[in-house]
Every structure is written in structure tokens, then in C-alpha cells.
Amino acid sequence: MKAPRILLWLVGLLAILFLLTPVLAVLPLSFSAGSFLFYPLPGLSLRWYADFWASDFWLPALWNSLRVGAGAALVAGSLGTLAAFGLWRAPFPGKTLVMAVLLAPMVVPAIIVAVALLLAFGPLGLTNSFTGLVLGHAALGAPFVVVTVLAALQQFDAVQLRAAASCGASPARAFWRVCLPQIMPGVAAGGVFAFATSLDEVAIALFIAGPAQRTLPRQMFSGLNDSISLTIMAAAMILVLISVVLLVAVTLLKRKQG
């Protein structure tokens, strides 16, 4: 029994190492005292982090990313929770098809979603706007909310809703007072995933966002096209740190749900 367990741990560690190797190879460059992407490092310095925090381009892009991510997480969390509850509560013909449509943004390439949103938002005047960017990112994040909330609902006893109804509670009140508090860890975890998806997304930002809505990934993409600066490595390090915080938050929420 020990040999298969050790082999499983070894395979898992190798997989983690494979995923982390590119990150571990690139991030030390954010502390380089030089001006080029090369090893060995000529020295250690925080100059690129100072350049990031003092820049008129990078810092606003970070704040835009955080604002858009928070808005997308709120919209995706609200709509995804309602969609998951409807799928769980009301059996109807074509339920599998509806589920497939809701989860489609998880498997459809982001560039296709971005083009579709551009065609849909253009006549509505939502391009080059903060609202359009939030809605576009929410569309990508909502499937994660649906999945996590459905998982949380599997542990919820529907008899409690009938008990609340027998006590005179309306369906909306029963959901708000009885169901939602118990599935809140799943809702919060889905919101964190939606935020993380928005934080890392660049295709929709390229098609929908205007100059005033420039996000951090879009700024990094533009920086790679214009002129490579090690400030991009500092920005990448900041994104990695935010991702680690989000991963810890999801882990804590799952532990609380369990």
C-alpha cells in the first residue's frame, strides 16, 4: 500500500514542479539590477518595483484590474448563484443544454468570446466602457460560480425550504434566510474564481476596453509589444502574489464548507 502512495505523491510533486518551473524561472528577473532578460543576474535591486509603483501607466492599470475584477465577481456571483439554484431546484426539459450553454465560456477560447461580445456590445454602446468590461469579465467568471454553488447545493437539504414555506416564508425569503447562508462558502469561492479569471484576462480587455479601462494584463501585453522592460516582471510578480492570496482564500472557504 505504501509504494502506490509514494508513487502518487511523486507524480503530484513532479506535476507541481512542471507547472511552477516557468514562474520560478521568470520571477527572479523582477529583482535584477540589470536592464535585460538574462541570467546570471548582474545584481539584486528593487528598482523595477519602484518603477511600477511610481509609474503613471502601471499603477492605474492595477487599480483598474482590481475594480473590474471586483465588479465582475459581484455580477458573476449574483447571476451564477441564481442560475445554479434554478438548475438545482427546478427540473425541466433541456436542462442539460442550458447547463452546457452556461458553462460554455469555460471551454470556448477567450478570443471567440471577445469577438462575440464586441459584436453584441457595439450597438448597445458598451464598448470602451467600464460597464462593458465588467459584464464581459463576468461572463467568463459566471461558470465558475455555477459549478461551485451547485457543489454547495448538493450538501443542502431541500426539506428546509419546504419547512420555511410551511412557516409562511415566501420562496425568495426562504432562499435568502435559509439556503443562502449555508451555501455562502460556495458562493464566495465562486466569486474568488471569477475575480481571479478577470484579473488574468487580456483578450476581452483588448476588444472591449478603451484607454481609460486599461487593465494590468493588457498593459503587460502592450509592454511586450512596444519595448520589453523588467517592470513587466515586477507586474508579473504582483499578479502571482495576488493569485496566491486568492488560492489561500479558496482553500479556506472550501475547508469551511466541508
Side-chain angles (χ1 to χ4, degrees), residues 51-154:
D51 181 65
F52 179 91
W53 292 109
S55 173
D56 293 332
F57 296 98
W58 292 103
L59 200 56
L62 174 61
W63 298 139
N64 278 339
S65 289
L66 295 177
R67 289 171 57 211
V68 171
L74 181 62
V75 174
S78 302
L79 298 181
T81 299
L82 294 176
F85 184 78
L87 289 171
W88 172 76
R89 186 63 176 165
F92 54 88
K95 181 176 179 179
T96 303
L97 179 61
V98 173
M99 185 70 175
V101 172
L102 289 175
L103 300 184
M106 296 180 67
V107 295
V108 174
I111 186 67
I112 296 178
V113 177
V115 172
L117 290 175
L118 178 63
L119 296 175
F121 286 176
L124 301 177
L126 292 176
T127 55
N128 298 330
S129 69
F130 180 79
T131 302
L133 188 58
V134 168
L135 293 177
H137 283 196
L140 291 181
F144 295 95
V145 180
V146 172
V147 171
T148 57
V149 173
L150 281 175
L153 286 169
Q154 298 304 317

Side-chain angles (χ1 to χ4, degrees), residues 145-170:
V145 180
V146 172
V147 171
T148 57
V149 173
L150 281 175
L153 286 169
Q154 298 304 317
Q155 304 178 19
F156 177 76
D157 189 359
V159 174
Q160 299 180 56
L161 295 177
R162 292 196 291 269
S166 66
C167 293
S170 64

